Amino acid sequence: MDKALWLCAGAVFGSVACIAVNRYWDSFSDPKSREWIFFRRETKVTVALDTSKVDDILPDLSDEILVEQFTRNVQFFGLEGQKRVQASFVIVVGLGGVGSHAAAMLLRSGVGKLRLIDFDQVSLSSLNRHAVATRDDVGTPKAVCLKEHFSRIYPECVIEACSELFDESSAEDLLSGSPDFVLDCIDNIDTKVFLIATCKKKSLRVLSATGAGARADPTRVRIADICESSIDPLSRAVRHRLRRLHGIESGVPVVFSMERPKAKLLPVNGVDGQEGNPSDYQIVPGFRVRIIPVLGTIPAIFGQVMASYTIAKLAGLQVETEPVVNLDVEHYAVLHRRLIEREELLYGTADAVEVDKEEVAYVVRELWRGKSARNQDSHDVGRGMWRSVNKLTLTRWDHKQPPSVSNLILLTFQEAEKHEASSVEEIKEQEPAFYAMVTETLNCGKKEF
């Protein structure tokens, strides 16, 4: 009898379960029901500029769908860090190969509000580097294209698609709303310089991308202050104009490649096959029409680097970017020899030296960024940095301790002689700020080794 009851109960339970599964599957196949099952909210996508506070319009991060979608971010940044990302507002100007990838990863990382700005349309030739565009999107404004794709990835994000040119007449409106970050992904020099200068004037945090075209080596992409950028012609031109027109020499982080361009601009050919005047083919006056050969992976990497930097800053995560030190193996070997010679001169022997050439490279590059500890604000890059090595040497910070990674300081010869005539105790008393900076830097070396 008990067995019969159990069989009967099992049959009833199975029937109920089958009905429930069938109803769930029917609702899953219906687009409207599927939206309710997975998102349980109303899509928030705007076209007009909305300058209200992001905090007032974002959904609660405790929503189980959002928790699952951004669970890896929460594990990485912590809940409070991810909440800061979620409550942030970022503007991306220029939505080509670099800007589309940067915007896509900002969205996938949970940035709560994005303003996407670009006057151009998706072209067939841009599909080799665009983050989301398909053939069906060709002819669609880039900003609208991204908004449509993004609304299917993270519908809660407030997206403002602005299909207009960024210039002096539109700058005030397009940069309104107190954004937390502005990403400059423009490839026109004049507009790029104007955007950066405007952001600096408004005290807006801006990150700028330089030339990604005609490059092939992903390992040479760097992020640094514009005063440290080298090799890249676009970066050099922007740096020159910022200094000449706006008095800006530093304080602008840029993404650039230390690889020399592998190709030049292609000529503009007229209908007769002869090279034409580029200005005759410009849709917008002042904008480049000549084609730059582009390997699609490099602009994508530029965009990913920009997104990574921005998201980490928004979340409050401290990330030390790799210093731009244009030195080669021989430079580090010279500094290693100078250290040994200095030890023999001061102490009669070099037996106490505990570092090899590789560790000298770490101390010079990672700890002191190829600059004197007393002149870390130096703008020497490229050949200027090579020449500066002729005046630099490594010496002990504390004369009582051996010359290890955590006790070596990079100075000019003159500074080294003055340092060796004093003591750490005297420096601590007379130059507390310098003492604190050096101590903190050397502690970083101690943790690494």
Side-chain angles (χ1 to χ4, degrees), residues 46-220:
T46 64
V47 176
L49 295 186
D50 178 7
T51 58
S52 59
K53 290 185 177 180
V54 181
D55 293 344
D56 297 335
I57 53 181
L58 285 178
D60 186 359
L61 191 57
S62 63
D63 179 278
E64 62 185 80
I65 300 300
L66 293 179
V67 168
E68 181 61 25
Q69 182 168 348
F70 299 114
T71 182
R72 297 297 190 273
N73 289 56
V74 172
Q75 292 169 352
F76 190 81
F77 292 125
L79 182 59
E80 292 305 314
Q82 183 60 24
K83 283 183 177 179
R84 286 191 287 270
V85 173
Q86 182 103 6
S88 62
F89 169 30
V90 180
I91 295 176
V92 183
V93 187
L95 305 174
V98 175
S100 64
H101 281 274
M105 282 313 302
L106 291 173
L107 176 94
R108 289 184 182 277
S109 299
V111 169
K113 182 176 179 180
L114 290 170
R115 183 175 296 160
L116 310 175
I117 304 170
D118 198 312
F119 74 94
D120 205 0
Q121 299 176 342
V122 176
S123 65
L124 193 59
S125 64
S126 67
L127 298 187
N128 82 315
R129 59 193 180 278
H130 200 275
V132 298
T134 66
R135 287 188 179 181
D136 290 339
D137 296 311
V138 173
T140 303
K142 290 180 179 178
V144 174
C145 169
L146 285 178
K147 186 186 76 172
E148 291 177 350
H149 284 275
F150 285 4
S151 65
R152 296 194 290 272
I153 299 170
Y154 176 26
E156 289 83 358
C157 181
V158 177
I159 303 174
E160 297 173 351
C162 304
S163 301
E164 58 182 296
L165 180 66
F166 182 89
D167 56 20
E168 292 187 28
S169 64
S170 62
E172 196 66 31
D173 285 339
L174 293 178
L175 294 179
S176 63
S178 301
D180 297 290
F181 244 105
V182 177
L183 269 56
D184 159 37
C185 305
I186 306 170
D187 59 3
N188 174 264
I189 297 178
D190 292 335
T191 310
K192 180 180 288 289
V193 170
F194 174 68
L195 173 58
I196 294 172
T198 303
C199 287
K200 294 293 287 183
K201 183 178 179 181
K202 291 178 173 290
S203 299
L204 298 176
R205 289 192 290 183
V206 59
L207 173 62
S208 179
T210 60
R215 271 88 171 181
D217 187 351
T219 67
R220 301 194 192 185

Side-chain angles (χ1 to χ4, degrees), residues 290-353:
R290 296 175 66 184
I291 299 170
I292 296 179
V294 180
L295 177 63
T297 55
I298 303 301
I301 291 171
F302 268 59
Q304 300 290 339
V305 170
M306 296 183 82
S308 297
Y309 178 91
T310 303
I311 295 163
K313 291 290 185 182
L314 294 173
L317 179 68
Q318 295 298 319
V319 178
E320 286 293 328
T321 57
E322 183 179 3
V324 179
V325 180
N326 301 320
L327 302 178
D328 56 31
V329 175
E330 182 56 31
H331 285 108
Y332 299 121
V334 167
L335 290 169
H336 185 252
R337 286 198 300 271
R338 286 179 185 168
L339 172 62
I340 292 175
E341 292 169 358
R342 203 161 197 89
E343 285 287 308
E344 291 175 342
L345 178 65
L346 295 173
Y347 303 99
T349 177
D351 292 344
V353 175

Side-chain angles (χ1 to χ4, degrees), residues 199-396:
C199 287
K200 294 293 287 183
K201 183 178 179 181
K202 291 178 173 290
S203 299
L204 298 176
R205 289 192 290 183
V206 59
L207 173 62
S208 179
T210 60
R215 271 88 171 181
D217 187 351
T219 67
R220 301 194 192 185
V221 179
R222 297 287 187 274
I223 185 166
D225 192 281
I226 192 167
C227 69
E228 297 182 31
S229 59
S230 61
I231 307 298
D232 176 57
L234 178 57
S235 181
R236 182 168 58 250
V238 171
R239 184 170 60 242
H240 174 71
R241 296 192 192 189
L242 282 174
R243 181 175 61 252
R244 179 169 56 86
L245 300 176
H246 304 281
I248 299 172
E249 295 188 1
S250 61
V252 180
V254 296
V255 178
F256 68 101
S257 174
M258 296 179 69
E259 177 186 13
R260 295 190 182 280
K262 292 288 187 292
K264 298 180 179 180
L265 287 173
L266 299 181
V268 174
N269 293 325
V271 292
D272 58 357
Q274 300 298 315
E275 184 173 350
N277 183 2
S279 62
D280 294 339
Y281 300 89
Q282 290 175 329
I283 299 174
V284 178
F287 273 74
R288 172 183 54 79
V289 295
R290 296 175 66 184
I291 299 170
I292 296 179
V294 180
L295 177 63
T297 55
I298 303 301
I301 291 171
F302 268 59
Q304 300 290 339
V305 170
M306 296 183 82
S308 297
Y309 178 91
T310 303
I311 295 163
K313 291 290 185 182
L314 294 173
L317 179 68
Q318 295 298 319
V319 178
E320 286 293 328
T321 57
E322 183 179 3
V324 179
V325 180
N326 301 320
L327 302 178
D328 56 31
V329 175
E330 182 56 31
H331 285 108
Y332 299 121
V334 167
L335 290 169
H336 185 252
R337 286 198 300 271
R338 286 179 185 168
L339 172 62
I340 292 175
E341 292 169 358
R342 203 161 197 89
E343 285 287 308
E344 291 175 342
L345 178 65
L346 295 173
Y347 303 99
T349 177
D351 292 344
V353 175
E354 298 180 0
V355 293
D356 56 21
K357 295 176 185 178
E358 183 178 345
E359 290 167 331
V360 163
Y362 170 82
V363 172
V364 174
R365 183 180 64 246
E366 303 292 339
L367 297 186
W368 302 115
R369 297 177 176 262
K371 305 171 185 177
S372 164
R374 288 193 172 276
N375 191 21
Q376 286 290 286
D377 294 329
S378 169
H379 293 170
D380 282 336
V381 295
R383 292 182 179 178
M385 182 170 285
W386 285 17
R387 289 192 294 268
S388 69
V389 172
N390 294 329
K391 304 175 183 178
L392 296 173
T393 187
L394 288 165
T395 191
R396 299 187 191 191

